[in-house]
Amino acid sequence: MLSKVVLIIGSLFIFSCTKSNTSNIELTNTQTITTLKKVIKTYFIVENKFNSSSTQVEDSLNQKNYSNVKSESKVIFKEPNSTTQKNFIHWFFLANALLGLCISALIFLKFSKLDINNVYFTIFLTGVSLMLLELALLWWNNVHYNPKVPFFRAQFYFWIPSLFLYMRNKIENRNTINLRENILQYLVPTMMLGSYIYILFFDVRILSQVLSSLTFKAIYTFIYLAFLVRISTKQKNKIPLNIKKWLVFLASFIIVIFLLLSTRAYFESDKNINSLSIYFLAILFSTFITIISFILFFQPEIFIKKENIEKEEKTKYKNSGLTDDMLNSLKIELNEILRVKKVYLDNTLTLEGLAEQLNTDRYSLSQTINQEFDKNYYELINDYRIEEAIRKIHNSESDLVICDLIYETGFNNKVSFYKAFKKRHLKTPLEYQKSIFKDKIIDP
């Protein structure tokens, strides 16, 4: 239509030019040819602009119709442009995914017998690791992995009930697996897994949409989160402090997942927000796996029930050569060297150094501290150091400088001093000092 209009206008222009110049008929052919060239050139320019504009409109419509459900696996998420950046991110996610799978296997094999609830935790951690692994494969251009529907959309439904059962049993101090309850809890996840397998063989759009529904996943997560809050509110005074911190960490992780799911569900048609949120989710999972690995290395007792720790210690010292009399004698000597000589004020003191002063070996001393004091070496020494700090605060006529108090009581730094003090008195040293002087003013 546009081309016809241009040609008609061009023809009229040519006609008007030839009409007004009848006296110069010998130049008409040359002018006509030149004018026709200009008209044709104008036509192609307009036509190209029209096509370009149509392409831009089509691209714009495609962006508006973007959906995480409708997109192919390879183009679900936007990738970074830099090749170096891509490779680093891929290796980073891949390494953390493999680390998560190794940690899951270690927790299952080593700690599931000591606390059966670890089975639930390994299901959750394995799911997180598998999703991270699948995302790395989807983003990696050199890997030909392009399923109809990514597997993580189905196995996501196993995470939340697994983590819920783990946390609830930790809160209520349960150590058994209820088969009937497990069937009910894993009914929806099993149905989703069945739907995923069915989609692999038959293209059923409605099942694909259900599996990919971010709104449904957000609601699903919120329900379990609400149950956790309700249970923890009732049992908060019965939860040990170290377990409480661990559970708060896990609950925070669930809350972040819920917020990300809600954000992605609300902005589901926005490609940029979807890309940004999924990358953030992958980074979150990587960070979570790294933190779990540190906890497993530095605080493995988190994964063991207290009564099982005691059994493990008894088994550990079963073949020890120390008799009860020897343990009692070493305990008396240890008390004397701590209370009278105050060796704990030496900030370079170590277990080996203390054992040398008692003319014994570190293993015998460690056994004595564990069995007779029900503590480890650092807990015992810090108990004495905090007692010393309390004495100094009470005996002081004026406010003490906390920085001086740190080194006077045998600590090496402010962080360890504050942590040990707050653990034993639920206040910082400064808060405790202020409360003491406030009492003295009221009741001199």
Side-chain angles (χ1 to χ4, degrees):
M1 182 66 182
L2 182 63
S3 59
K4 290 179 180 179
V5 171
V6 173
L7 287 174
I8 291 169
I9 294 171
S11 300
L12 291 172
F13 177 76
I14 294 168
F15 179 77
S16 64
C17 287
T18 54
K19 187 78 174 175
S20 62
N21 294 290
T22 52
S23 60
N24 299 318
I25 193 70
E26 66 277 2
L27 298 175
T28 302
N29 291 335
T30 305
Q31 291 175 348
T32 302
I33 292 169
T34 304
T35 307
L36 278 172
K37 285 181 179 180
K38 289 182 180 179
V39 170
I40 292 168
K41 186 176 180 181
T42 304
Y43 166 74
F44 281 110
I45 290 171
V46 173
E47 187 73 7
N48 288 335
K49 287 184 176 180
F50 175 76
N51 291 335
S52 176
S53 177
S54 300
T55 305
Q56 290 176 359
V57 171
E58 186 177 353
D59 289 343
S60 177
L61 289 172
N62 287 337
Q63 287 183 1
K64 288 183 179 179
N65 291 329
Y66 173 81
S67 170
N68 194 18
V69 176
K70 297 178 183 178
S71 301
E72 294 295 328
S73 298
K74 281 289 183 184
V75 293
I76 289 177
F77 313 118
K78 187 179 179 182
E79 294 181 336
N81 295 322
S82 170
T83 304
T84 305
Q85 188 181 10
K86 282 183 184 179
N87 291 335
F88 173 78
I89 290 174
H90 293 156
W91 280 112
F92 176 74
F93 291 153
L94 184 63
N96 277 280
L98 296 176
L99 175 63
L101 292 173
C102 292
I103 292 172
S104 299
L106 179 62
I107 293 173
F108 179 78
L109 295 173
K110 188 175 181 181
F111 298 107
S112 58
K113 291 181 180 179
L114 299 172
D115 187 351
I116 197 66
N117 295 316
N118 289 318
V119 174
Y120 296 124
F121 186 76
T122 53
I123 293 173
F124 166 72
L125 187 58
T126 301
V128 170
S129 304
L130 286 175
M131 178 177 177
L132 193 59
L133 178 62
E134 191 168 22
L135 286 175
L137 294 176
L138 285 169
W139 287 331
W140 211 312
N141 291 327
N142 296 328
V143 178
H144 301 290
Y145 179 76
N146 190 26
K148 288 183 179 179
V149 179
F151 178 59
F152 66 78
R153 288 180 175 168
Q155 58 103 356
F156 167 84
Y157 292 94
F158 284 90
W159 303 2
I160 304 302
S162 299
L163 193 57
F164 167 77
L165 290 170
Y166 174 78
M167 294 177 68
R168 187 208 61 185
N169 291 353
K170 280 284 187 181
I171 291 169
E172 297 180 350
N173 198 27
R174 298 187 189 183
N175 195 33
T176 55
I177 290 181
N178 189 316
L179 183 60
R180 183 180 177 183
E181 183 184 40
N182 284 350
I183 292 173
L184 291 173
Q185 293 289 348
Y186 289 111
L187 181 61
V188 172
T190 304
M191 290 171 62
M192 292 299 175
L193 183 60
S195 301
Y196 174 80
I197 295 170
Y198 192 80
I199 290 170
L200 294 179
F201 298 97
F202 306 98
D203 189 11
V204 184
R205 185 171 180 79
I206 189 168
L207 290 179
S208 178
Q209 288 177 338
V210 171
L211 277 175
S212 304
S213 175
L214 295 167
T215 304
F216 184 68
K217 288 177 182 176
I219 295 171
Y220 185 74
T221 305
F222 178 78
I223 291 170
Y224 278 101
L225 190 59
F227 277 120
L228 272 177
V229 171
R230 182 183 176 186
I231 294 169
S232 59
T233 304
K234 290 181 178 179
Q235 303 285 337
K236 62 180 179 179
N237 295 326
K238 299 179 181 179
I239 307 172
L241 184 61
N242 61 330
I243 298 298
K244 187 179 290 186
K245 290 180 179 179
W246 168 239
L247 295 177
V248 167
F249 168 70
L250 294 178
S252 302
F253 183 76
I254 299 177
I255 291 170
V256 174
I257 290 178
F258 167 71
L259 292 175
L260 283 172
L261 286 172
S262 302
T263 302
R264 293 190 65 213
Y266 187 78
F267 297 100
E268 192 169 1
S269 60
D270 192 312
K271 188 174 182 179
N272 291 327
I273 292 180
N274 267 270
S275 300
L276 183 63
S277 62
I278 199 66
Y279 268 107
F280 182 80
L281 194 65
I283 293 169
L284 175 70
F285 287 169
S286 298
T287 307
F288 178 79
I289 290 169
T290 304
I291 292 172
I292 295 298
S293 64
F294 276 102
I295 290 174
L296 183 62
F297 183 78
F298 291 105
Q299 286 185 297
E301 63 273 9
I302 287 289
F303 300 99
I304 308 174
K305 289 184 72 65
K306 187 175 180 181
E307 50 267 33
N308 288 326
I309 294 175
E310 293 172 357
K311 288 179 183 177
E312 195 177 53
E313 287 180 352
K314 287 180 180 178
T315 305
K316 179 181 176 182
Y317 298 123
K318 186 176 180 181
N319 299 321
S320 172
L322 288 177
T323 63
D324 290 341
D325 290 339
M326 294 169 68
L327 282 170
N328 189 50
S329 175
L330 194 53
K331 177 184 176 182
I332 294 170
E333 291 178 22
L334 180 58
N335 272 325
E336 182 180 354
I337 201 172
L338 289 172
R339 292 192 179 278
V340 179
K341 295 185 178 181
K342 296 186 177 183
V343 293
Y344 55 83
L345 296 178
D346 180 7
N347 59 11
T348 63
L349 185 68
T350 60
L351 179 62
E352 291 81 359
L354 186 58
E356 284 182 13
Q357 295 186 45
L358 293 169
N359 295 318
T360 187
D361 60 272
R362 66 187 300 272
Y363 301 104
S364 298
L365 179 58
S366 179
Q367 181 181 347
T368 303
I369 295 171
N370 290 336
Q371 290 188 217
E372 299 299 320
F373 295 90
D374 195 24
K375 298 173 184 177
N376 61 37
Y377 165 75
Y378 292 104
E379 288 175 337
L380 180 66
I381 296 300
N382 284 345
D383 281 348
Y384 277 93
R385 286 172 174 170
I386 296 302
E387 282 182 15
E388 184 69 21
I390 294 297
R391 278 196 296 271
K392 286 182 177 293
I393 291 173
H394 280 273
N395 295 334
S396 176
E397 295 297 331
S398 59
D399 289 355
L400 286 171
V401 179
I402 300 300
C403 291
D404 295 336
L405 193 60
I406 293 170
Y407 300 102
E408 287 176 4
T409 54
F411 284 94
N412 286 313
N413 57 73
K414 182 179 179 180
V415 175
S416 57
F417 174 63
Y418 269 68
K419 185 178 178 181
F421 197 101
K422 196 169 184 179
K423 180 181 178 181
R424 288 157 180 80
H425 295 280
L426 305 178
K427 293 180 182 179
T428 65
L430 191 59
E431 289 171 346
Y432 187 87
Q433 186 183 57
K434 288 180 179 178
S435 67
I436 291 299
F437 277 94
K438 185 178 179 182
D439 293 340
K440 285 183 178 180
I441 294 170
I442 294 172
D443 186 20

